[in-house]
């Protein structure tokens, strides 16, 4: 009980920093969101957090029913917080531990690259997102990466994704900041409508 109380307190104290480390690559109608985050942890440690189902449950916007650490592995990914259960099957198409990981989540091609940076890791995520929702995606992943960094530091604040993230004040600000950086209009959706739109 005491640990749970601490987690709530830690989350209450958490405020995401300004929008940064994101860019959009535009190829006609196909837009790719590129997110770069420097983490204070080794590539091996970050790799485990990206591939181990128990760790994914602590920070990622989906649950996996199997490890994502081996090429050819098939796993079911369940989107967290979707109004209706959303499960997609994925096959890991690249798994070069602890450097590169590729798979598809719910129609989004995802590519992770991990690069040693001093004692830490430069983590890069490429993900193709419908351009109407690309600033929302950037805001969501920004918060996921903050949660991941604290999890790996042994100071977990609990996963904040889906409707829970959208209701969070920091998400609204980040969505607006990323939209401005990307030169697009901010989707002006209520939290409920935003969640329904991103789950289609």
């Amino acid at each position: 009980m005491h640990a749970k109380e601490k987690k709530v307190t830690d989350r209450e104290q958490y405020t995401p920093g300004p929008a940064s480390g994101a860019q959009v690559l535009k190829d006609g109608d196909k837009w790719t969101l590129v997110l770069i985050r420097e983490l204070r942890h080794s590539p091996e440690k970050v790799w485990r957090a990206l591939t181990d189902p128990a760790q994914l449950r602590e920070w990622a916007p989906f649950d996996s029913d199997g490890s994502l650490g081996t090429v050819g592995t098939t796993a079911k990914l369940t989107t967290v917080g979707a109004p209706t259960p959303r499960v997609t099957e994925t096959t890991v198409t690249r798994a070069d531990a602890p450097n590169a990981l590729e798979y598809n989540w719910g129609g989004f091609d995802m590519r992770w690259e991990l690069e040693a940076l001093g004692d830490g890791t430069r983590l890069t995520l490429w993900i193709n997102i419908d351009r109407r929702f690309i600033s929302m995606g950037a805001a969501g992943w920004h918060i996921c990466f903050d949660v991941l960094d604290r999890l790996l530091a042994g100071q977990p604040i609990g996963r904040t994704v889906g409707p829970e993230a959208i209701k969070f004040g920091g998400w609204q600000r980040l969505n607006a900041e990323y939209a401005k950086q990307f030169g697009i209009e901010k989707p002006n959706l209520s939290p409920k409508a935003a969640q329904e739109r991103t789950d289609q």
Side-chain angles (χ1 to χ4, degrees), residues 43-44 47 94-101 112-116 122 124:
E44 291 78 14
W47 176 266
R94 185 177 178 195
D96 302 329
N99 305 308
L101 179 67
W112 300 91
E113 286 194 3
L114 297 80
E115 182 187 346
R122 177 181 286 123
T124 306

Side-chain angles (χ1 to χ4, degrees), residues 25-41:
L25 304 179
K26 301 172 184 178
D27 179 14
D29 278 345
K30 187 179 180 185
W31 287 23
T32 302
L33 175 64
V34 184
L35 296 163
I36 300 169
R37 178 64 71 95
E38 293 182 2
L39 299 168
R40 303 164 287 173
H41 318 283

Side-chain angles (χ1 to χ4, degrees), residues 3 11 33 78 81 93 104 114-115 127 140:
R11 184 181 299 179
L33 175 64
T78 304
T93 53
N104 185 286
L114 297 80
E115 182 187 346
I127 179 169

Side-chain angles (χ1 to χ4, degrees), residues 9-10 15 41-42 59 87 114 116 133 145 166 193-195:
T9 306
D10 286 347
T15 303
H41 318 283
S42 70
W59 70 273
V87 182
L114 297 80
F133 307 119
F145 288 170
I166 290 169
Q195 184 61 28

Side-chain angles (χ1 to χ4, degrees), residues 16-160:
S20 64
Q23 57 182 295
V24 175
L25 304 179
K26 301 172 184 178
D27 179 14
D29 278 345
K30 187 179 180 185
W31 287 23
T32 302
L33 175 64
V34 184
L35 296 163
I36 300 169
R37 178 64 71 95
E38 293 182 2
L39 299 168
R40 303 164 287 173
H41 318 283
S42 70
E44 291 78 14
K45 196 171 178 182
V46 176
W47 176 266
R48 285 191 297 275
L50 297 181
T51 57
D52 172 35
Q55 291 195 52
L56 286 165
R57 271 194 301 275
E58 296 293 322
W59 70 273
F62 56 80
D63 289 334
S64 176
D65 72 351
S67 171
L68 301 176
T70 308
V71 73
T73 295
T74 300
K76 285 189 173 66
L77 304 183
T78 304
T79 302
V80 177
T84 52
R86 182 147 189 234
V87 182
T88 53
E89 193 162 274
T90 191
T91 300
V92 178
T93 53
R94 185 177 178 195
D96 302 329
N99 305 308
L101 179 67
E102 293 181 21
Y103 54 89
N104 185 286
W105 168 46
F108 301 130
D109 289 322
M110 298 181 65
R111 181 169 106 228
W112 300 91
E113 286 194 3
L114 297 80
E115 182 187 346
L117 189 69
D119 294 334
T121 301
R122 177 181 286 123
L123 179 65
T124 306
L125 168 63
W126 285 261
I127 179 169
N128 65 301
I129 296 181
D130 184 316
R131 64 184 186 179
R132 292 170 298 165
F133 307 119
I134 207 156
S135 62
M136 294 166 58
W141 282 106
H142 181 120
I143 292 170
C144 284
F145 288 170
D146 283 352
V147 172
L148 170 62
D149 196 36
R150 284 162 173 76
L151 172 70
L152 294 177
Q155 301 160 338
I157 58 173
R159 177 158 66 179
T160 306

Side-chain angles (χ1 to χ4, degrees), residues 157-175:
I157 58 173
R159 177 158 66 179
T160 306
V161 297
E164 196 177 333
I166 290 169
K167 284 185 281 193
F168 179 62
W171 184 91
Q172 301 286 354
R173 174 178 54 78
L174 285 169
N175 182 26

